[in-house]
């Protein structure tokens, strides 16, 4: 109530209001009346004051920052400098970094090459499957590989099937991942998001009537190898399932591709972290403590602040080449992705586009809100130590409803 009174005094000072009688003041200070009479953004601040006084925050941590992109000013702050675990909102850092350094038209490519000769329908030589860590490589793409072999007139392969996985470091798991989690396998050669590329390729060659007298092995790509097929997907295509569905494999793939802007192949997670750090520097993150471990948010070692997240969102908003691809990739409240079942009956439905994050004890939400009054907002909400995730999500949904109201 003290903050309500302060807000009312500020409003009275600004509007030149006269002092009221005690009875009138008591009536004026009723919660419903305050929400009606306080002008924006004082009404927003008063409502958020009420929400942040919830007993939930006597036993859990909260970091919250709201920024008015239209007015270029902070609207609300609460524990915004606390270092907290981002969970899957870490994917925002990965996405913005990749768009900043690579652009939405960047291609994730997997190629099929060969050495040797083709005579009498026999390839005497080797086939090389060159992995580019494309998480969208599916059976239809593998079919294209098989069709390209048939297109050479090949009915038998006498040589080797070679997996070229030199795109990234050998580690298949990220730093700080839990051993008992549902972790993706971080291999450069993927098919249907699984680490079974070479076995599937062999099976499909044989199913197409091609005799495969060729052991499967790993190796490097010779300079004289000829390309017979190449399949690719754009970064902006990869971002959709990565952000809408919070796909961890897609995020790690994007993270390693961003790493190519820092180090030579095989790229490492350290290169990816350096790429994120450089983009954060461009976003004005200098005197903020944080730690980046991976690109998906699975790691227990990731720590950021709401202030950092909002600075990143501001930077992305102001860079048209980033925002035009980032904004459509975000889940929409009440409509799709990981926000499809949240805020369905709220004024925030369709007005909030934000990335969710959830790991044990942590729930987060960071993104944008188109307020009913025409202002465009960036926000970050980080709840930590929340044993019942529903409690944190309920709080976040209420915050978003406040932001969406006029």
């Amino acid at each position: 109530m003290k903050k309500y009174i302060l807000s009312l005094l500020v409003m009275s000072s600004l509007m030149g209001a006269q002092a009221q009688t005690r009875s009138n003041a008591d009536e004026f200070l009723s919660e419903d009346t305050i929400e009606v009479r306080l002008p924006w953004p004082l009404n927003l601040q008063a409502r958020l004051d009420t929400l942040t006084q919830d007993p939930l925050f006597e036993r859990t941590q909260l970091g919250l920052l709201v920024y008015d992109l239209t007015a270029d000013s902070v609207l609300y702050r609460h524990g915004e400098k606390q270092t907290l675990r981002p969970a899957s909102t870490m994917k925002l850092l990965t996405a913005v970094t990749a768009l900043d350094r690579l652009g939405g038209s960047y291609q994730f490519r997997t190629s099929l090459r060969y050495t040797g000769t083709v005579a009498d329908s026999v390839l005497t030589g080797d086939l090389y499957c060159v992995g580019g860590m494309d998480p969208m490589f599916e059976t239809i793409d593998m079919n294209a590989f098989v069709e390209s072999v048939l297109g050479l007139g090949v009915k038998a392969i006498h040589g080797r099937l070679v997996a070229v996985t030199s795109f990234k470091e050998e580690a298949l798991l990220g730093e700080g991942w839990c051993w008992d989690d549902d972790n993706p396998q971080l291999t450069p050669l993927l098919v249907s998001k699984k680490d079974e590329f070479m076995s599937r390729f062999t099976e499909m060659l044989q199913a197409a009537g091609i005799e495969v007298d060729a052991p499967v092995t790993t190796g490097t790509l010779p300079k004289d190898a000829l390309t017979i097929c190449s399949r690719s997907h754009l970064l902006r295509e990869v971002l959709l399932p990565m952000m809408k569905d919070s796909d961890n494999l897609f995020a790690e793939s994007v993270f390693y591709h961003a790493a190519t802007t820092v180090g030579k192949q095989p790229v490492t997670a350290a290169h990816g972290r350096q790429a994120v750090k450089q983009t954060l520097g461009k976003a004005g993150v200098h005197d903020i403590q944080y730690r980046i471990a991976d690109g998906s948010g699975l790691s227990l070692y990731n720590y950021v602040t709401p202030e950092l997240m909002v600075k990143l969102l501001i930077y992305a908003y102001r860079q048209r080449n980033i925002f035009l691809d980032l904004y459509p990739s975000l889940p929409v409240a009440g409509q799709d992705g990981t926000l499809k079942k949240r805020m369905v009956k709220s004024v925030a439905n369709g007005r909030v586009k934000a990335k969710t994050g959830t790991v044990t004890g942590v729930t987060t939400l960071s993104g944008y809100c188109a307020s009913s009054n025409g202002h465009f907002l960036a926000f970050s909400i980080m709840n930590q130590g929340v044993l019942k995730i529903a409690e944190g999500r309920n709080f976040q949904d209420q915050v978003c409803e406040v932001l969406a109201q006029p």
Side-chain angles (χ1 to χ4, degrees), residues 112-123:
L112 180 64
R113 306 185 188 188
Y114 81 101
T115 57
T117 59
V118 178
D120 298 325
S121 300
V122 177
L123 169 62

Side-chain angles (χ1 to χ4, degrees), residues 260-388:
T260 63
T261 65
V262 173
K264 296 181 179 180
Q265 295 183 17
V267 291
T268 67
H271 292 143
R273 291 190 281 269
Q274 185 64 22
V276 174
K277 181 178 180 180
Q278 290 179 9
T279 292
L280 286 175
K282 293 169 67 175
V285 176
H286 302 298
D287 299 324
I288 299 175
Q289 297 232 344
Y290 65 89
R291 183 176 180 187
I292 306 302
D294 64 10
S296 62
L298 280 173
S299 177
L300 299 176
Y301 303 154
N302 291 312
Y303 279 93
V304 301
T305 71
E307 182 181 27
L308 178 150
M309 296 299 291
V310 169
K311 280 183 176 289
L312 182 80
L313 290 167
I314 293 171
Y315 176 71
Y317 174 74
R318 291 174 176 170
Q319 307 301 313
R320 184 174 177 82
N321 61 310
I322 296 176
F323 192 73
L324 287 179
D325 285 319
L326 176 69
Y327 193 58
S329 75
L330 295 172
V332 183
Q335 298 185 18
D336 67 20
T338 54
L339 285 179
K340 185 175 183 178
K341 296 182 180 180
R342 293 174 59 178
M343 297 173 261
V344 174
K345 297 181 180 180
S346 165
V347 66
N349 186 329
R351 291 188 172 276
V352 168
K353 294 188 177 183
K355 183 70 198 73
T356 59
T358 306
V359 295
T360 302
V362 176
T363 176
T364 55
L365 186 67
S366 297
Y368 302 99
C369 175
S371 181
S372 300
N373 64 3
H375 283 242
F376 198 62
L377 315 177
F379 68 90
S380 179
I381 314 169
M382 303 181 70
N383 295 95
Q384 187 166 287
V386 184
L387 298 183
K388 295 182 179 179

